[in-house]
Structure formats: structure tokens, C-alpha cells
């Protein structure tokens, strides 16, 4: 007992210490994560640095893991994973490529500090960055994340100089240069400005500068001249900076340029340079060895770059035509070719290389007509990181170079031919001197990625050579005149459609000097487009014994054709019936007695008829009409008619126990008046599925094998006109609950007297529910839903005995005139009998094992009964007596009127002096006897 008490005491002490610790240390944060306070304003294309430091962990020397995320203004509730020091698959897709390319990195500064870096900011990088440190300790206490907001702004710094790029001076001359530098940045920024001198082969040297605090200072080597007033930097207006050198020295030889830097103050009060520009940071020039060329000649484009510290820096250089990149040489000298020119690079037509420290060259040979246009060179400085990855800087474009390609080759000929005809193309060359050779090439029109393949060539000596798949074709190349070349291709097919290219090359001795090309699109009209074949029938659904006429229509120009009729009875076998050849002969393969053939020549078409006499099941299937060897038409007709079934019973049928049930299904449309039908009734309940009864086409009835004897005695079928089929279930039981389906198969007799099953259809299912609960007839009168205090009046038991259970001596009568009707009568009602009445019925069934058992109970709705007092009865009785006296007086008057009329009618007979007159009440007419069955 003492041990347990001691344990409880220890637990209480621990809980108390924890509570006291939280009370006194609730305001302290043990772990602290820090990042720069925002917002930080940075320029598109400039780098972004965010430091993240954590302190307060138990183990300060243990290397911590960090994660960086961003929330963008467009989606403030969605965090995007950027990079993690622990998980390489942490990045989302939009940042994954930049992380893999080392454009986004995390540099470790210490076990508890990292530096997040984006080397080139994009406009979409704006948002709220969050640095999170991964907690590896067992408890959480402190802040494990810090946030920094970054605003990305456009680079609005502009630096320009309008002085001449090259000027010559003598020693001792004065020099004055101007430079404009301005910024449209909305945020508060400062500009610093400096003039630099870059001597050939040396780094740039600062001449004089004006920092962001407007402090002037001279660069190294220029201090004395600045102090003597021989070098000055003046600022006029808002954006103009002047460099004034009173006496030039020989050491001033080189390139002088200006540079401006834009600074912004971060929330921590430190100044950060967000961008800088100068007038000659990178100069790119382009030149063409020859700007006007003929097709086939060589296009040579040179690109030259000039900047400071050229040998220590890396650059990428690209050539572009109409903003489409031809080729690019990377910082390590690797060549990459644009997608539109990759094919020409593979065959050696395009070449590019670096020829010097600052020189690059691109060549195209043979040049084509589509190669003309404006070309530019584009260069990017590349900064190599510690991991060896390159970061691309701002691009600099050269001026444009216009290249013109003169067209000297024309193509003409039959650009649209019919299948089987001859294709003839003519390549006309003008203004070319010397020996000429020609090469004809073809590119199919079937695929967009197809390449040109050689068809035939004709050398300058006149030697013709077929190539590739055209070696076995009837193709020729000729030179009928000095400036004309021809191509002739016999028996063309649709696969010969496409683009044909004629390349004429000029030769001097054994050397090719130039090439000239031209293309033309050729279309070969297939016979399918000239001859149309269609197969049809007036009726594709016929009955056995009916005649069938199939029509194969051939439209187009008159030409000899071969027609073949075939029959496909299943998915794999195709049997020929007959073939009528182009010379009129006929070859039979099928039963000639079953078919007849007829041909009619009409204007622009020929009709081929196939007649089937007295169709049987053997002729059912898919018929095919084949014209010659390349046209096919298929027509399928079926000799079976589908029978349509409809259940006359509802989809859900409810019946009471021990009642008779009838289910019907009927044929909505039959194929023939002589059709016979086989009917099968099926029953399904839960997993049980069995056949109840079936009758064949001869009306022979068979019960299902799973049907017990008791159910067979209660089931019968009946057929009627329509045809209609009925299933009768007598004295239905609960075990008959389930789904019933009716399956009807149609049988037809063919002309040979054989019965064939044509179709089988199902109707249903019908869900049958047999209820064991008797239905209670509702009371008439007003019904209310609120139930008052209930007490039984009479109870009738299953053995027909009655028990009066009323509390007072009412004159009640309770009787059962029908098995399902119970009556209660109050003979002399009083106001106390007012209230709500309802009846409750219990159903009992006998059981051999348990005797009588209650199977269901159901209660009727309520009936509101109101019984009025004697005062109301007296008023009602008074009114009733008054009306009785009025009716009695009217009756006496009516009797007097009748008596007077009788006296007037009878008075002549009594006197005997007058003749009888016709009665007012009846006519003295003889009555006809009822006609007999014999009449």
C-alpha cells in the first residue's frame, strides 16, 4: 500500500512541476528562427538572397535541415514547395527544373544557418517566402519558421551615351563626355555613378565616381589629377553626368564608358544594389561574308563580342533569323541546333564554331530561298558557380544583317495526275553558267516528318542513275535544252503524291560551286476518287422464302472491271459466290441454283444485280461486292426478324397471400403469321435462379427440375392470341416473392419444311411481392394526427370470441360481416362517446411445430367522432316537427285535388246520358306480341 501511495505522489509531483514550468515559462520561446524582415524589393533578372538562422536547439553543433516555401499573391491559401536540404523530391513541378539546373540553391553557412539563393529572379517569384527548420528533438518549444515578403519589380534603370564610339585625340587635348542615367522605380532608391577606362588587355579602371550619398571620389591612379582639378564629374539637370579631362595623357588610351547602380534600403536599414548598367558592358556585332547569294551558295555569318575581362569570362552566342534560333554555342563550346534546322545540321549543311576568344562563325551551304531574311547575333554572359553550374545573365543583341537569296530555278509540269498516268515535271534554270547536274527528290505527303529521298539524278556528263525504291520503276531524267531538266514517272500511284524537289548544281572542273533548288507539290488522284462503288438492297431484313435483290452500283468513267460477289456467314470465313470478269465471262463458286445475275449499263454508271430466289438461312450473312482489285463494298442483311416483347404486368407487382396471380408477356411484332413460339418462365430470388415452366414450339409443357410438387400443383400456363403468354400462380405464398422473367423464342419454317429458331428475347423482370399482412380499411370522416389517451373497447380473438373491455355500460354492437371487415356500433351515443377511434388487427397463422403464431399487426388511422347533448337535440327536434306539419298540409291539399279530378271523370258514367270519351291517362292501342324465335 505504501509503494502505491509513493507512486501516486511521484506522479502528482511531476504534473505539478510541468504546470509550474508552463506558468513561469509560457512567454519564453526556446527555439528561434530568423529571416530578413520584409518587404525586400528586387529587380527581374537580379539575384535574390534570403538568410535563415536558427538558435535554441539543445545540440547547436548538429546540422539542421531547412525547407523553403512560397505563398504567391494570386493564391494566398496555397503553399508551394521550392527546395529542401533534406528531400530532393521536395520541389513542386513549377520550381523543379530551376532547382535541377542550380538556378535555385541553398548554401550552408553553419550547422544552424543557410543562405537561400535565386540566381535570376522572375516576375512570378514575387510572394511570401517561408523558411522552416526541421525539428529533430522530442519536444516543440519556440518558433520553427520565419517569413520574408519579396516584391519583384521591373528594371527601370536606363544608361545611355550619345558620344562617338571612336575618337582620336592628341596628348594634352581636353576631353568632354556625357552620359544619361535615370530610373523610374516607384520605390525610393538612390543612384551611384562612375566613369571607367578599359585599356586593351587590362581590367577596367575607375576614373571618378559619385556614390549614393553624393560623395565624389577618384579612382586609383587618378587621385592627383582629381586633386589638381584636371578631372571633374559634373551632374546637370536630373540625369546628365559629365566627364571633363583637361589634359589627356598617353595612359588614357582605351575605351571610356559610364556605369550607374541603383540602390534600395531594406527594412533592416542596410543598402542593397538591385541593378546596374553601363554603356559598354557587352558589345555584339554581326557581319556577313556575302549578303546577296544565289541558291546553293554558302552563307557565312560572323559574330564578334567585346567586353571587359573577356578571357576570364564565359559567354553563350546564338544566331537568329526572324526570331527563330538557328544554332547556339554554349559557354563550354557545345553546339546546339534549333528544331527547324536539326535536319540540315545532320546532313552537314549547317555548321557553327568558335574561331577565337571573341569570334564565332555560322555557315549554311547550300543556301535555300527560305534562308533569306534578317539575321542577328545574341550573346549572354554566363557566371559559373562553385558547383560548376552556369547562370545566364542579361542578353545583348547585335544589329540586324539582311541576307538576300536570288531565285534562279522554276518548276512546272503536271501537278495533278490520275492514278496510272504519267507524271512529268520540268525544272527551268536561268542565269547559271558552267556544267550542270540535276538531282530529283521526293518527300511523301503522308507524314509531316517525312524527309526528301533521291529519285533519280543526271550528272554533268549526262549519266542517269536511279536511286532507292525507284530503281524498279519506269522513271527517266533528261536535259532537252541547256537550261531545262525533265522528270518522267510512269504508272503513278497515290503514294507518289507529295513534294518533288529539283536541285541543279553548277560545276567547275570536278568541284561543285553552287546549287539551286525548287519544289512543287504533286497530287495523284486515286481511282477511288474516280470510280465510286456502293452496295445496297431494298430490304436488309427479310423472312425465309422471300426473294432478295442486291444492287452493286459502279459510278465513273466507262472502263473494264471485274466484279466478284462474296458471302461472309461468320467473322472469319468469306466464300465467293461468283466472279464476272471484264471480258464478260462468269465463274461460279456458290450454288448457282440459288442466285441469278443481271447487269444494266446506264449513263455514268453500271448496275450489277445479284438475285436470291427464296432466301433460306443458308443465304443469311454479309454480302460483299468487289470491283477490280482495289474497291470493296460490304452489305449485311439478316434473315431473322427480331421479336419485340412487352410485359403487360407492372415492373413491381404486389399481392396478398392466398390470392391468385397472373403474369403476362406478349409479342409486339412477329415475323410471320406461321411463326411458332417457345416460352420459358424463370424465377430468381437472391442467389436462387431456376426455371419454373417452359413450353416448346409444339406447346408441350415441361416443369423446371428444381420445382417442387406442391408448387407444380398451383402453377399453370395459358396462351392466347396476339400472341400472348400467361403464367398463373394460385393461392400465392410468401415463398413466391422474387423476380420473374419471360423468354420467348421464335421458330420459322423454311421452304424445305425445316423449322429454324430465329430469335430469342427476354421480357421483364417483374418484381413480385406477396404480403402476409391484411389491409385495414380506413375510417371515414375527419382524421387528425395527434393521439389522445387510448383504451380498448372490444377485442375479437382468432377463435371468434368477443370480450367487452369498455369501462362503462355502453350499448355496443361488435360483429364481423365479412372475413376482412369488422364493424362497431354504438346504439345510443352520448357526448362522452366523442373522441378518436381506431381499430387494430392482428394476423395469426397456424404452424405444425409451434401452433398458432402472430405474424403481423397493423393499426388504422384515427376517426374523430363528436356526440352532441340533449339541448342541441331538442332544437333539432323542434325544427323537425315544424317541417313535418308543413309537409302534412301539402299532402292533404294534393289529395283533395286528386279527388276533384276523379269525380269529374266518373260523373258521365253515373248519369248515363253521355257517350264515353277517350281516357286522359292511356291510349286504347293494341299491344304487339313479343316476336318469337321462329319469326
Amino acid at each position: 500500500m505504501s509503494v502505491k501511495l509513493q507512486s501516486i505522489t511521484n506522479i502528482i509531483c511531476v504534473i505539478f512541476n510541468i504546470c509550474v514550468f508552463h506558468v513561469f515559462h509560457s512567454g519564453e520561446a526556446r527555439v528561434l528562427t530568423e529571416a530578413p524582415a520584409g518587404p525586400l524589393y528586387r529587380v527581374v533578372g537580379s539575384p535574390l538572397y534570403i538568410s535563415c538562422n536558427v538558435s535554441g536547439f539543445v545540440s547547436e553543433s548538429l546540422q539542421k535541415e531547412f525547407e523553403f516555401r512560397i505563398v504567391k499573391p494570386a493564391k494566398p491559401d496555397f503553399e508551394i514547395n521550392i527546395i529542401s536540404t533534406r528531400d530532393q523530391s521536395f520541389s513542386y513541378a513549377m520550381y523543379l527544373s530551376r532547382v535541377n539546373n542550380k538556378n535555385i540553391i541553398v548554401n550552408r553557412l553553419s550547422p544552424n544557418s543557410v543562405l537561400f539563393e535565386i540566381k535570376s529572379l522572375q516576375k512570378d517569384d514575387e510572394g511570401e517566402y517561408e523558411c522552416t527548420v526541421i525539428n529533430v528533438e522530442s519536444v516543440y518549444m519556440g518558433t520553427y519558421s520565419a517569413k520574408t515578403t519579396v516584391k519583384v519589380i521591373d528594371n527601370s534603370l536606363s544608361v545611355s551615351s550619345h558620344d562617338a564610339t571612336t575618337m582620336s585625340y592628341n596628348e594634352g587635348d581636353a576631353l568632354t563626355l556625357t552620359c544619361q542615367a535615370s530610373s523610374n522605380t516607384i520605390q525610393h532608391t538612390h543612384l551611384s555613378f562612375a566613369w571607367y577606362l578599359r585599356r586593351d588587355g587590362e581590367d577596367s579602371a575607375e576614373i571618378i565616381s559619385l556614390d549614393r550619398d553624393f560623395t565624389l571620389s577618384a579612382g586609383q591612379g587618378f587621385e592627383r589629377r582629381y586633386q589638381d582639378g584636371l578631372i571633374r564629374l559634373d551632374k546637370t539637370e536630373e540625369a546628365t553626368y559629365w566627364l571633363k579631362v583637361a589634359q589627356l595623357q598617353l595612359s588614357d588610351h582605351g575605351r571610356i564608358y559610364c556605369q550607374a547602380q541603383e540602390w534600395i534600403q531594406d527594412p533592416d536599414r542596410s543598402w542593397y544594389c538591385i541593378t546596374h548598367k553601363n554603356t559598354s558592358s557587352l558589345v555584339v556585332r554581326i557581319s556577313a561574308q556575302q549578303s546577296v547569294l544565289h541558291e546553293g551558295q554558302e552563307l557565312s555569318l560572323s559574330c564578334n563580342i567585346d567586353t571587359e575581362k573577356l578571357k576570364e569570362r564565359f559567354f553563350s552566342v546564338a544566331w537568329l533569323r526572324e526570331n527563330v534560333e538557328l544554332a547556339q554555342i554554349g559557354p563550354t563550346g557545345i553546339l546546339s541546333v534549333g528544331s527547324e534546322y536539326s535536319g540540315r545540321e545532320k546532313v552537314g549543311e549547317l555548321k557553327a564554331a568558335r574561331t577565337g576568344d571573341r569570334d564565332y562563325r555560322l555557315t549554311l551551304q547550300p543556301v535555300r530561298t527560305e534562308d533569306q531574311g534578317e539575321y542577328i547575333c545574341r550573346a549572354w554572359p554566363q557566371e559559373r558557380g562553385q558547383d560548376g553550374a552556369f547562370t545566364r545573365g542579361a542578353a545583348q543583341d547585335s544589329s540586324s544583317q539582311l541576307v538576300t537569296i536570288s531565285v534562279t530555278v522554276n518548276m512546272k509540269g503536271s501537278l495533278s495526275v490520275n492514278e496510272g498516268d504519267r507524271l512529268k515535271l520540268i525544272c527551268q534554270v536561268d542565269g547559271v553558267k558552267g556544267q550542270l547536274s540535276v538531282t530529283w527528290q521526293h518527300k511523301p505527303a503522308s507524314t509531316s516528318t517525312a524527309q526528301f529521298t533521291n529519285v533519280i539524278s543526271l550528272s554533268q556528263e549526262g549519266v542517269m542513275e536511279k536511286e532507292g525504291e525507284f530503281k524498279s520503276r519506269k522513271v527517266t531524267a533528261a536535259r532537252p535544252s541547256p537550261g531545262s531538266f525533265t522528270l518522267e514517272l510512269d504508272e503513278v500511284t497515290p503514294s507518289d503524291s507529295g513534294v518533288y524537289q529539283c536541285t541543279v548544281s553548277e560545276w567547275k572542273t570536278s568541284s561543285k560551286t553552287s546549287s539551286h533548288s525548287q519544289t512543287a507539290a504533286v497530287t495523284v488522284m486515286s481511282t477511288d476518287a474516280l470510280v465510286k462503288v456502293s452496295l445496297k438492297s431494298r430490304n436488309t431484313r427479310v423472312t425465309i422464302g422471300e426473294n432478295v435483290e442486291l444492287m452493286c452500283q459502279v459510278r465513273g468513267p466507262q472502263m473494264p472491271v471485274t466484279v466478284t460477289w462474296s458471302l461472309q456467314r461468320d467473322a472469319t470465313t468469306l466464300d465467293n459466290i461468283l466472279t464476272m470478269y471484264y471480258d464478260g465471262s462468269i465463274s461460279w463458286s456458290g450454288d448457282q441454283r440459288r442466285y441469278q445475275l443481271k447487269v444494266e449499263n446506264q449513263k455514268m454508271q453500271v448496275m450489277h444485280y445479284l438475285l436470291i430466289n427464296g432466301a433460306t438461312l443458308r443465304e443469311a450473312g454479309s454480302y460483299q461486292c468487289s470491283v477490280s482489285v482495289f474497291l470493296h463494298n460490304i452489305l449485311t442483311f439478316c434473315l431473322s426478324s427480331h421479336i419485340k416483347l412487352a410485359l403487360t404486368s407492372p415492373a413491381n407487382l404486389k399481392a396478398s397471400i392466398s390470392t391468385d396471380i397472373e403474369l403476362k408477356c406478349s409479342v409486339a411484332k412477329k415475323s410471320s403469321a406461321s411463326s411458332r413460339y417457345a416460352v420459358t418462365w424463370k424465377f430468381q430470388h437472391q442467389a436462387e435462379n431456376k426455371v419454373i415452366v417452359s413450353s416448346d414450339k409444339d406447346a408441350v409443357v415441361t416443369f423446371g427440375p428444381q420445382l417442387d410438387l406442391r408448387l407444380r400443383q398451383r402453377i399453370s400456363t395459358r396462351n392466347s392470341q396476339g400472341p400472348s403468354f400467361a403464367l398463373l400462380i394460385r393461392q400465392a405464398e410468401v415463398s413466391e416473392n422474387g423476380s420473374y422473367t419471360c423468354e420467348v423464342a421464335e421458330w420459322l419454317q423454311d421452304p424445305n419444311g425445316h423449322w429454324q429458331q430465329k430469335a430469342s428475347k427476354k421480357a421483364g423482370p417483374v418484381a413480385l411481392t406477396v404480403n402476409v399482412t391484411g389491409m385495414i380499411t380506413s375510417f371515414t370522416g375527419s382524421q387528425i394526427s395527434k393521439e389522445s389517451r387510448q383504451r380498448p373497447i372490444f377485442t375479437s380473438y382468432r377463435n371468434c370470441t368477443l370480450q367487452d373491455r369498455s369501462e362503462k355500460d355502453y350499448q355496443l354492437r361488435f360483429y364481423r360481416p365479412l372475413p376482412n371487415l369488422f364493424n362497431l356500433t354504438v346504439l345510443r351515443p352520448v357526448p362522452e362517446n366523442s373522441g378518436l377511434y381506431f381499430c387494430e388487427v392482428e394476423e395469426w397463422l397456424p404452424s405444425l411445430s409451434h401452433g398458432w403464431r402472430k405474424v403481423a399487426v397493423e393499426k388504422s388511422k384515427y376517426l374523430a367522432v363528436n356526440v352532441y347533448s340533449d339541448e342541441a337535440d331538442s332544437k333539432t327536434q323542434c325544427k323537425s316537427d315544424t317541417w313535418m306539419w308543413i309537409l302534412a298540409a301539402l299532402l292533404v291539399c294534393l289529395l283533395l285535388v286528386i279527388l276533384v279530378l276523379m269525380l269529374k271523370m266518373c260523373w258521365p258514367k253515373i248519369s248515363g246520358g253521355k257517350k264515353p270519351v277517350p281516357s286522359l291517362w292511356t291510349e286504347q292501342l293494341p299491344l304487339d306480341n313479343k316476336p318469337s324465335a321462329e319469326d
Side-chain angles (χ1 to χ4, degrees), residues 209-229:
S209 64
L210 178 68
D211 65 14
R212 63 175 180 270
D213 297 323
F214 305 101
T215 302
L216 275 172
S217 62
Q220 186 178 359
F222 297 91
E223 298 92 337
R224 183 63 180 272
R225 298 166 68 183
Y226 168 72
Q227 293 172 0
D228 294 340

Side-chain angles (χ1 to χ4, degrees), residues 189-207:
T189 60
H190 288 186
L191 292 182
S192 63
F193 186 87
W195 287 97
Y196 290 89
L197 170 64
R198 182 159 60 88
R199 303 179 181 94
D200 292 340
E202 295 181 9
D203 296 339
S204 296
E206 182 181 300
I207 303 173

Side-chain angles (χ1 to χ4, degrees), residues 339-350:
S339 58
E340 294 187 14
Y341 293 84
S342 59
R344 301 179 67 176
E345 191 266 339
K346 291 179 181 179
V347 298
E349 292 185 9
L350 184 146

Side-chain angles (χ1 to χ4, degrees), residues 469-480:
E469 63 183 45
F470 292 91
K471 289 183 178 181
S472 59
R473 299 284 300 276
K474 295 180 180 179
V475 57
T476 59
R479 187 180 182 180

